[in-house]
Amino acid sequence: MAAAARSFGPEREAEPAKEARVVGSELVDTYTVYIIQVTDGSHEWTVKHRYSDFHDLHEKLIAERKIDKNLLPPKKIIGKNSRSLVEKREKDLEVYLQTLLAAFSGVAPRVLAHFLHFHFYEINGITAALAEELFEKGEQLLGAGEVFAIGPLQLYAVTEQLLQGKPTCTSGDAKTDLGHILDFTCRLKYLKVSGTEGPFGTSNIQEQFLPFDLSIFKSLHQVEISHCDAKHIRGLVTSKPTLATMSIRFSATSMKEVLVPEALEFDEWEPEGTALEGPVTAVIPTWQALTTLDLSHNSISEIDESVKLIPKIEFLDLSHNGLLVVDNLQHLYNLVHLDLSYNKLSSLEGVHTKLGNIKTLNLAGNLLESLSGLHKLYSLVNLDLCNNRIEQMEEVRSIGSLPCLEHVALLNNPLSIIPDYRTKVLAQFGDRASEVCLDDTVTTEKELDTVEVLKAIQKAKEVKSKLSNPEKKVGEDSRLSAAACVRPGSSPPTVAPTSASLPQPILSNQGTLGDE
């Protein structure tokens, strides 16, 4: 990382001295712009100003802080853009800025801080700007109940400010008191934290790798985090009692990083409320209010046992990861909507034992050739299988008997280019063909008529097959002989009643009891 972040811990390094160097200049239209490189510890950024901006800064500092009037090099009207003058002015302006930073080594005056973009890149400047914003708009934002967006660099600055143990207002301006931030964050319900890919602004700061602490948020109902390293996020567990919706994208390499962030060092742990077997290093409280979890677009390769910590989850998005198998989801008894699209799944064997009550299942963009593992998902209503490797129409029979299935998507599979693809797929659903919407297109009457013809042809083929198969005829004769041996007056065999509460498997009509 170009800029190493100062880590969490009780021992704080002394705050480094800030520097400002004029590293060059460029001609813009009829005036010269001076390029300033500001250094704050390992963080660096650039600011561009013309001489008139320096002059305005100087005038304000003279009025507010009584600095020496002769500190700034004088104006030049003739030859102001000549190379020799520009080079000399670069050196003089650098001395001017360094003198100001030395004079105000504690907290820079507001006008100087803004001139050097401290409110974008420097800890004190960032927190002061955020505090003033929340002083003016905080109550309005809370009252509107809107999502509050903040950057990782801002959270890092607040975290660092709190760890420094300084007074909450060092500038003397009550509007910049850190207390305005803390009052706002402890009441906020909807938070969004979005990092940037690559350096932030004109700096070398890789803000997606900056550590920050979210324990200042006490009442979150919803949090959305993207482009932040999950290993460097602390304090999110503070919101466990209230957090209902969580989205963490482009940030994690495992589910454990998100769900057990404070206990990554534990090799053995159990969720709170479970029966403990053997020595356990830690008991981790569950996310008792969490019902929606979006972990899409990460680098997660497995569904690990940390899912035990989200027992009330209903909506789970694990799309665009690197999952190879479906595992451990049997612990999620309330799960009804699952997105596993665009992973690396190649088999669904036994998946019904993991997804008993699922209603919506997205498996698009995987490596599936067979659908045999879906035949017992009796609650399934919506199924997306687009962009897989399904070739054989027989595979559709695995889902053709599902009693609640209403929406099926199979586009961009090899079988979708078969002639009469739609009617052949719909025919696999038998009498329910009219209830199925295939590829977001409602089934037409013409298609249903064709389905009936296909069903009639199939039935004729089955009858012909029986008549032309001697073994089947022998089996049929044996069955008739056995029936003739039943004594008159004897009762027929008793058939066990079926339960009306559970969906019953549809028996194949390709054979009879004597076909064994």
Side-chain angles (χ1 to χ4, degrees), residues 318-333:
L318 288 168
S319 64
H320 297 273
N321 279 285
L323 299 177
L324 299 173
V325 296
V326 181
D327 204 3
N328 286 312
L329 294 178
Q330 67 271 19
H331 303 292
L332 308 183
Y333 304 111

Side-chain angles (χ1 to χ4, degrees), residues 136-182:
E136 296 174 351
K137 301 178 181 179
E139 290 299 328
Q140 179 183 346
L141 292 170
L142 291 171
E146 298 177 353
V147 176
F148 181 70
I150 191 170
L153 180 53
Q154 290 174 294
L155 288 170
Y156 167 75
V158 174
T159 300
E160 287 289 301
Q161 189 86 306
L162 290 171
L163 290 173
Q164 287 175 2
K166 292 182 177 180
T168 58
C169 182
T170 55
S171 67
D173 185 354
K175 292 182 180 180
T176 65
D177 194 313
L178 201 63
H180 301 311
I181 299 175
L182 301 179

Side-chain angles (χ1 to χ4, degrees), residues 22 100 142 144 171 271 310 338 340 344 358 393 406 452 502:
V22 179
L100 292 179
L142 291 171
S171 67
I310 49 173
L338 176 63
L340 294 173
K344 299 178 181 179
I358 203 75
M393 192 62 63
E406 296 178 359
E452 290 300 319
L502 293 176

Side-chain angles (χ1 to χ4, degrees), residues 219-434:
S219 308
L220 289 181
H221 289 188
Q222 173 183 314
V223 64
E224 179 181 342
I225 299 174
S226 65
H227 295 99
C228 299
D229 191 335
K231 293 188 292 293
H232 293 155
I233 301 173
R234 296 290 182 268
L236 187 55
V237 292
T238 303
S239 299
K240 276 188 176 182
T242 58
L243 194 63
T245 301
M246 178 163 61
S247 172
I248 298 184
R249 309 170 74 198
F250 303 102
S251 303
T253 58
S254 72
M255 297 184 71
K256 189 178 180 182
E257 286 179 357
V258 176
L259 301 177
V260 201
E262 314 299 333
L264 289 175
E265 68 275 15
F266 296 143
D267 294 326
E268 298 181 65
W269 55 272
E270 290 289 345
E272 187 180 44
T274 58
L276 305 181
E277 298 181 4
V280 176
T281 306
V283 176
I284 311 297
T286 61
W287 297 80
Q288 57 264 46
L290 196 64
T291 59
T292 301
L293 178 60
D294 178 0
L295 293 178
S296 64
H297 295 87
N298 285 294
S299 303
I300 299 172
S301 59
E302 65 173 332
I303 305 173
D304 58 50
E305 290 193 351
S306 63
V307 297
K308 295 178 181 179
L309 298 173
I310 49 173
K312 296 185 179 179
I313 208 73
E314 298 175 10
F315 300 81
L316 179 60
D317 188 346
L318 288 168
S319 64
H320 297 273
N321 279 285
L323 299 177
L324 299 173
V325 296
V326 181
D327 204 3
N328 286 312
L329 294 178
Q330 67 271 19
H331 303 292
L332 308 183
Y333 304 111
N334 297 300
L335 183 64
V336 291
H337 300 278
L338 176 63
D339 191 341
L340 294 173
S341 61
Y342 297 94
N343 279 281
K344 299 178 181 179
L345 301 175
S346 58
S347 174
L348 298 173
E349 289 301 325
V351 74
H352 66 281
T353 63
K354 313 290 194 308
L355 304 173
N357 301 315
I358 203 75
K359 291 184 178 180
T360 298
L361 180 59
N362 191 342
L363 293 167
N366 280 284
L367 309 174
L368 299 173
E369 298 178 3
S370 172
L371 304 180
S372 59
L374 302 175
H375 64 292
K376 291 185 179 181
L377 295 182
Y378 299 123
S379 300
L380 197 59
V381 177
N382 307 296
L383 177 62
D384 191 340
L385 293 162
C386 293
N387 296 289
N388 276 283
R389 300 178 178 180
I390 305 165
E391 297 183 9
Q392 304 301 322
M393 192 62 63
E394 287 75 13
E395 293 298 330
V396 183
R397 294 180 185 174
S398 296
I399 60 175
S401 60
L402 296 180
C404 300
L405 195 58
E406 296 178 359
H407 295 86
V408 182
L410 285 164
L411 286 176
N412 296 320
N413 280 279
L415 63 74
S416 65
I417 62 174
I418 295 174
D420 301 320
Y421 147 75
R422 283 186 56 83
T423 51
K424 288 180 179 178
V425 169
L426 292 169
Q428 308 305 315
F429 292 88
D431 295 337
R432 292 193 63 249
S434 61

